[in-house]
């Protein structure tokens, strides 16, 4: 999947979370320091959320909520909070990096023992997930840092033209 | 040849009359719903409204599995059969020797089937017939076990999990055949009901929910819809192009049978995808009540409840068969509480629609079902545009739609008491926001295409009700509010007491006439299983599986949020995990000695 390939160089950019950062998740300090076509990045170039005055979220966080709720909620519960059979991603992303998340989503995961049978499917071929994986990650990163609350974000930035173009070519 | 005197034969009891409509369950509980009519009614009355308050736990049994425990155990003679979710273990317990394990069957299944099971790895139980126990495993293996030893007698593959098809339903045994359906509506699976010989596992027939007549076993002339022939290509001509091939219409619900007409009744689920814009047309025959000849699969009649579904109002819920008088006339009824919030009463011999009324007053997506036979929209729900996700379109969030996608009732089956003439219905009282959008199909991958948020109806805090329903009039007789959705199947008994379980884990007994709470006991985990009863060594027992999970388990960790609480407010309703935790176990109740 070309989307995944495009994401892999981010691995090289990954810098371990340094001490003294006010807020950090599995990818380090989530503070947005740059943006391109309405998509924000942290100091390491990793995709991140941006919350402006009045709780307005960036477009990717918003569309991430929408696509998360269609493709991930069935197991990981509403708002990333987990269910009886899949873990809370709000917790998981406190330690999982962007690359960890992408690798798991694309390749799946198996944890089958006497005590439990946790299996996540490999979604690498699923356009409904992979065409939106950055947005889903950004949304969950915001949830994990308690920057985005439960439920549908009430206000968001307008849909960037670049997003629509990428979506169209990816979903074809 | 002499013509038979029909009336004389009937009077002599020689002809199968309505009175023979499946006997109520007695000492045994040998079919998933107690009897093939799907009534979940027992003639036992040792435990009754007068003494149920003294009920005690007699014994318990752990299944060793943490996932959601739907379905019910069976009792045949001295043996109880208990099943579990994936890995679908079956235990045979010796009731004469304090529940000693006679045998245990644990299939080896590829764990890759787990993630293609929408909404937890549930299984709704086993069936019994001809000395065999039948189990439809998660990986769509239908297996026949020797009821005495657990030895595998035969096994067949009914479908392909790599395409998203899974087995979760309880099979139904009638005469020399076992009937099963399939899960996978969220994966673009094309639903079917199939009959297998119980002797050797050979498939006798298979009828799909959509497709050419040769697949659906529909006859353009003989198969009727509201009394009229369905016409040619009915299973394809309301679909765009080849979309019927991934059309959904899964069949994982309960099946029932009427020996008088030799018809099998069941429902088909939602069309795939959840985005209605992507599949124009009525999408027949998703969301449909089916009546098929048990021997051949030939379709006698169909009734599509929710043409062109726009809310995931899966039509798989149970069909309860009952004989009652309507307007002074005895009728052979089929009663169905649909996810869409309407309680339907049909003539099961002809498929004629008699009653269609809301069984939760909160239901708002349609004003009513058109009951005027002269109307061009006869039998169809009259949908309100503001709640139509088709009308509002893709990428638009339609709000405050009641019920939510899990329906005013999901698979948790209702019970019917011939004594009170009432149906006892576990219900959900939940609404939703629903936003459909473009989705792409990949075989074996989720094919959903909508985002939704669920919450109790505006102004309410209870998310469930346990109701008594009069199917002759379409009216609620009484209603007991519950904090959470009631996700447990009900049991009615001739002791005038009705049982059900709650998501917090309570087994409750209520008065069949008034709904008054007579007894409750908190079992180890939330109950999504169905209550059953049996008699052994002269003593009546009531049993239920607890073990929270399933669709209901989605809200366990999180609870539901209240969108009316205002911008940025957390507004979470009490989360279920404050009340219960995971773990499968069976709890068996009885009255104390003396």
């Amino acid at each position: 999947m070309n989307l995944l390939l495009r994401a892999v160089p981010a691995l090289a950019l990954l810098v371990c979370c340094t001490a003294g950062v006010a807020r950090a998740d599995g990818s380090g300090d989530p503070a947005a320091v740059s943006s391109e076509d309405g998509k924000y990045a942290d100091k390491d170039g990793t995709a991140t959320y941006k919350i402006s005055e009045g709780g307005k979220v960036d477009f990717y966080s918003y569309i991430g909520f929408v696509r998360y709720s269609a493709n991930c909620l069935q197991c990981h519960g509403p708002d990333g909070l987990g269910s009886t059979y899949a873990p809370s991603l709000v917790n998981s992303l406190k330690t999982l990096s962007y690359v960890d998340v992408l690798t798991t989503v694309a390749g799946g995961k198996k944890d089958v023992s006497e005590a439990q049978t946790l299996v996540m499917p490999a979604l690498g071929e699923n356009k409904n997930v992979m065409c939106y994986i950055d947005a889903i990650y950004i949304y969950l990163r915001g949830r994990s840092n308690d920057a985005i609350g439960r439920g549908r974000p009430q206000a968001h930035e307008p849909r960037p033209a670049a997003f629509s173009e990428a979506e169209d070519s990816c979903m074809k | 040849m002499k013509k038979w005197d029909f009336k004389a034969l009937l009077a002599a009891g020689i002809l199968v009359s309505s009175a023979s409509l499946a006997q109520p369950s007695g000492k045994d509980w040998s079919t998933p719903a107690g009897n093939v009519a799907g009534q979940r009614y027992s003639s036992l009355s040792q435990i009754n409204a007068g003494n149920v308050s003294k009920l005690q736990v007699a014994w318990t049994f752990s299944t060793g599995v943490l996932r959601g425990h739907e379905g019910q155990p069976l009792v045949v003679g001295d043996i109880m059969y208990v099943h579990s979710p994936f890995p679908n273990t079956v235990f045979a317990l010796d009731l004469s020797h304090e529940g000693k394990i006679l045998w245990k069957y644990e299939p080896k299944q590829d764990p890759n089937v787990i993630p293609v099971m929408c909404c937890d790895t549930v299984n709704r139980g086993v069936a019994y017939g001809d000395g065999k126990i039948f189990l439809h495993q998660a990986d769509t293996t239908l297996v026949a076990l020797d009821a005495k030893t657990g030895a595998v007698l035969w096994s067949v593959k009914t479908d392909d999990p790599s395409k998203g098809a899974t087995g979760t339903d309880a099979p139904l045994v009638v005469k020399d055949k076992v009937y099963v359906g399939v899960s996978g509506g969220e994966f673009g699976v094309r639903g079917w009901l199939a009959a297998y010989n119980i002797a050797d596992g050979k498939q006798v027939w298979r009828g799909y929910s959509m497709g050419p007549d040769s697949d659906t076993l529909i006859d353009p002339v003989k198969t009727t819809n509201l009394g009229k022939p369905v016409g040619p290509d009915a299973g394809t001509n309301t679909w765009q192009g080849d979309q019927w091939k991934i059309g959904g219409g899964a069949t994982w619900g309960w099946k029932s049978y009427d020996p008088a007409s030799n018809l099998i009744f069941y429902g088909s689920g939602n069309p795939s995808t959840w985005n209605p814009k992507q599949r124009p047309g009525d999408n027949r025959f998703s969301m449909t009540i089916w009546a098929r000849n048990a021997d051949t699969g030939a379709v006698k009649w169909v009734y599509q409840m929710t043409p062109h579904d726009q809310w995931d109002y899966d039509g798989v819920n149970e069909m309860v068969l009952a004989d009652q008088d309507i307007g002074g006339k005895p009728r052979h009824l089929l009663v169905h509480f649909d996810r869409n919030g309407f309680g339907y009463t049909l003539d099961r011999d002809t498929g004629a629609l008699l009653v269609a009324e809301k069984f939760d007053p909160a239901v708002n997506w349609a004003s009513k079902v058109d009951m005027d036979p002269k109307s061009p929209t006869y039998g169809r729900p009259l949908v309100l545009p503001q709640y139509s996700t088709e009308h509002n379109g893709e990428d638009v969030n339609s709000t405050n739609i009641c019920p939510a996608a899990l329906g005013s009732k999901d698979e948790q089956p209702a019970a019917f008491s011939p004594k009170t003439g009432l149906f006892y219905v576990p219900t959900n009282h939940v609404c939703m926001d629903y936003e459909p959008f473009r989705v792409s199909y990949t075989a074996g991958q989720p094919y959903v295409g909508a985002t939704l948020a669920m919450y109790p109806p505006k102004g309410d805090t209870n998310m469930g009700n346990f109701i008594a329903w009069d199917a002759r009039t379409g009216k609620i007789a009484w209603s007991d509010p519950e904090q959470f959705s009631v996700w447990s199947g009900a049991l009615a008994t001739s002791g005038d007491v009705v049982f059900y379980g709650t998501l917090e884990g309570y087994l409750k007994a209520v008065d069949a006439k008034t709904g008054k709470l007579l007894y409750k006991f908190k079992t180890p985990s939330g109950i999504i299983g169905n209550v059953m009863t049996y008699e052994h060594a002269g003593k009546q027992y009531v049993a239920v599986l607890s073990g929270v999970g399933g669709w209901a388990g989605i809200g366990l960790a999180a609870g539901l949020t209240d969108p009316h609480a205002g911008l940025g407010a957390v507004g979470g309703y009490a989360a279920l995990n404050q009340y219960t935790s995971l773990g499968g176990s069976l709890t068996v109740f009885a009255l104390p000695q003396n």
Side-chain angles (χ1 to χ4, degrees):
Chain A
M1 190 106 218
N2 58 358
L3 263 181
L4 183 59
L5 292 176
R6 227 182 295 151
V8 169
L11 182 62
L13 295 175
L14 199 71
V15 181
C16 185
C17 17
T18 50
V21 172
R23 185 164 248 179
D25 52 47
S27 291
D29 183 352
V33 298
S34 63
S35 76
E36 193 181 341
D37 297 327
K39 187 175 180 181
Y40 294 84
D42 65 17
K43 65 180 171 47
D44 302 317
T46 306
T48 195
Y49 54 87
K50 177 80 189 318
I51 317 291
S52 33
E53 289 289 308
K56 184 194 269 191
V57 303
D58 64 285
F59 182 77
Y60 283 82
S61 289
Y62 167 72
I63 208 73
F65 159 81
V66 171
R67 292 285 166 170
Y68 169 87
S69 303
N71 297 298
C72 319
L73 178 151
Q74 287 83 346
C75 294
H76 291 287
D79 312 315
L81 287 168
S83 75
T84 53
Y85 44 93
S88 157
L89 297 174
V90 171
N91 283 339
S92 298
L93 262 70
K94 291 190 199 308
T95 50
L96 295 183
S97 70
Y98 172 80
V99 173
D100 295 336
V101 171
L102 247 71
T103 309
T104 308
V105 171
K109 190 176 178 174
K110 246 184 231 175
D111 185 357
V112 180
S113 67
E114 278 296 312
Q116 60 180 2
T117 50
L118 297 179
V119 183
M120 174 162 168
L123 297 163
E125 298 295 317
N126 190 330
K127 292 183 176 183
N128 306 309
V129 174
M130 297 313 289
C131 293
Y132 303 90
I133 191 61
D134 272 11
I136 291 170
Y137 173 78
I138 290 166
Y139 162 69
L140 289 171
R141 194 176 188 187
R143 287 284 301 133
S144 173
N145 285 291
D146 212 16
I148 298 174
R150 294 195 56 177
R152 175 179 288 262
Q154 297 292 318
H156 60 83
E157 291 178 15
R159 176 187 287 249
F163 171 84
S164 296
E165 281 166 31
E167 180 184 36
D168 281 344
S169 71
C170 186
M171 285 291 276
K172 247 178 218 154
Chain B
M1 189 175 150
K2 183 181 181 287
K3 265 195 162 180
W4 293 105
D5 182 346
F6 184 81
K7 275 183 187 164
L9 282 173
L10 196 63
I14 290 166
L15 278 189
V16 176
S17 73
S18 61
S20 78
L21 170 66
Q23 293 300 307
S25 189
K27 289 183 180 179
D28 285 357
W29 187 277
S30 58
T31 198
N35 64 13
V36 292
Q39 292 176 340
R40 295 180 184 273
Y41 174 75
S42 171
S43 60
L44 301 181
S45 58
Q46 199 178 85
I47 299 167
N48 55 53
N51 61 19
V52 70
S53 64
K54 299 194 184 78
L55 213 57
Q56 292 180 343
V57 173
W59 55 281
T60 61
F61 179 78
S62 168
T63 66
V65 179
L66 294 178
R67 297 293 194 104
H69 284 59
E70 291 185 351
Q72 59 290 304
L74 297 185
V75 168
V76 183
D78 293 331
I79 305 179
M80 174 185 274
Y81 300 94
V82 181
H83 72 288
S84 84
F86 188 93
N88 303 135
T89 317
V90 180
F91 297 93
L93 306 181
D94 185 349
L95 296 175
S96 300
H97 293 90
E98 298 183 333
K100 185 184 167 205
I101 299 172
L102 286 171
W103 54 260
K104 176 185 174 185
Y105 168 74
E106 187 171 341
K108 292 278 169 273
Q109 300 185 75
D110 183 350
N112 284 322
V113 72
I114 293 171
V116 290
M117 303 189 77
C118 158
C119 333
D120 209 357
T121 54
V122 295
N123 184 285
R124 299 186 189 85
V126 296
Y128 172 84
D130 192 31
K132 302 180 179 82
I133 290 291
F134 300 93
L135 168 73
H136 199 196
Q137 295 173 189
D139 64 0
T140 67
T141 300
L142 174 64
V143 63
L145 308 172
D146 186 309
K148 290 272 187 295
T149 66
V152 176
L153 299 173
W154 53 258
S155 84
V156 290
K157 202 83 173 166
T158 65
D159 210 323
D160 182 0
S162 75
K163 304 274 194 322
T166 52
T168 63
D169 64 327
L172 178 73
V173 172
V174 173
K175 298 185 288 187
D176 60 347
K177 296 183 189 68
V178 54
Y179 300 84
V180 284
V182 71
S183 299
E186 278 58 55
F187 291 82
V189 163
R190 182 165 61 123
W192 48 262
L193 188 83
Y196 292 86
N197 273 332
I198 61 175
D200 56 9
K202 189 167 164 270
Q203 182 185 303
V204 183
W205 56 259
R206 173 175 298 229
Y208 286 90
S209 300
M210 57 266 314
D213 294 345
S214 55
D215 283 7
T216 58
L217 310 182
I218 281 174
D219 183 307
V221 181
K222 290 183 190 153
T223 302
T224 61
N225 173 29
L226 294 173
K228 295 198 175 115
V230 293
D233 306 320
T236 54
N237 65 11
T238 62
W239 291 90
Q240 192 173 68
D242 280 352
Q243 286 186 338
W244 57 266
K245 288 182 176 169
I246 52 168
T251 48
W252 50 270
W254 309 94
K255 309 140 197 69
S256 44
Y257 172 73
D258 183 357
S261 58
N262 197 33
L263 292 173
I264 293 271
F265 303 96
Y266 68 98
S268 55
N270 57 292
S272 305
T273 123
W274 287 12
N275 175 8
K277 281 282 181 199
Q278 241 172 286
R279 44 167 172 77
D282 275 355
N283 310 130
R284 286 179 169 187
F285 285 96
S286 63
M287 305 304 212
T288 295
I289 300 175
W290 295 78
R292 287 186 188 269
N293 180 288
D295 298 329
T296 64
V299 182
K300 175 94 185 285
W301 58 262
V302 283
Y303 169 60
Q304 189 181 39
M305 298 167 286
T306 315
H308 190 59
D309 171 60
Q310 314 164 35
W311 312 268
D312 184 35
Y313 292 154
D314 218 340
V316 299
N317 292 353
E318 74 286 359
M319 310 292 162
V320 188
L321 313 184
D323 292 341
Q324 293 189 285
D325 287 2
I326 294 188
K329 278 204 298 200
R331 303 293 299 244
H332 297 168
L333 304 180
L334 175 152
V335 176
H336 169 79
F337 301 92
D338 198 60
R339 286 253 285 261
N340 73 16
F342 285 89
Y344 295 89
T345 307
L346 291 91
D347 182 314
R348 67 174 178 270
D349 298 335
T350 64
L353 183 60
L354 306 175
V355 177
E357 295 289 343
K358 297 172 181 178
F359 62 92
D360 180 353
V363 173
N364 65 10
W365 66 280
S367 58
K368 61 172 190 169
V369 173
D370 188 345
M371 299 299 284
D372 177 6
K374 294 190 194 91
S375 163
T377 55
Y378 176 43
R380 297 174 75 99
L382 302 181
V383 178
L384 273 63
Q386 73 184 101
Y387 302 121
S388 164
T389 70
E390 165 74 36
H391 175 265
N392 298 339
E394 286 178 339
D395 303 322
V396 175
N397 190 32
S398 298
T399 59
N400 290 312
I401 304 167
C402 309
L406 43 71
S408 295
K409 186 176 105 38
D410 203 279
E411 60 81 33
Q412 60 274 40
F416 169 69
S417 167
K419 259 183 101 175
T420 61
L422 296 174
F423 290 78
Y424 300 96
V425 194
T427 73
N428 307 318
H429 189 57
V430 182
C431 303
M432 69 173 171
D433 299 344
Y434 191 108
E435 177 179 347
F437 44 73
R438 180 165 58 162
V439 66
S440 139
Y441 175 74
T442 307
Q445 291 285 345
Y447 184 53
V448 181
T451 274
L452 45 95
M454 298 190 254
Y455 42 83
K458 215 169 185 169
D460 288 348
T461 52
N462 64 310
M463 291 181 276
N465 293 295
F466 186 74
I467 68 166
W469 175 260
D470 189 329
R472 296 161 292 197
T473 57
K475 291 200 164 58
I476 295 171
W478 50 257
S479 178
D480 291 343
E482 285 287 348
Q483 181 172 359
F484 297 103
S485 295
V486 188
W487 213 282
S488 145
L491 166 71
T493 70
S494 76
D496 291 326
V497 56
V498 174
F499 297 88
Y500 67 97
T502 73
L503 281 180
E504 302 102 305
Y506 286 105
L507 174 94
K508 290 190 175 180
V510 298
D511 188 300
K513 295 189 189 80
T514 63
K516 187 184 166 214
L517 181 67
L518 301 175
Y519 172 79
K520 68 172 182 177
F521 176 84
K522 196 163 180 189
T523 67
S525 180
I527 299 176
I528 59 171
N530 310 323
V531 192
M532 56 81 78
T533 187
Y534 65 96
E535 184 184 307
H536 187 260
K539 201 169 174 67
Q540 184 185 356
Y541 296 87
V542 170
V544 70
L545 280 168
S546 54
V548 76
W551 239 128
I554 293 278
L556 181 71
L560 299 177
T561 48
D562 179 5
H564 312 298
L567 187 72
V570 176
Y573 279 84
L576 194 49
N577 65 357
Q578 292 173 292
Y579 295 84
T580 195
S581 186
L582 306 183
S585 57
L586 177 80
T587 308
V588 183
F589 300 83
L591 292 170
Q593 301 292 347
N594 310 316

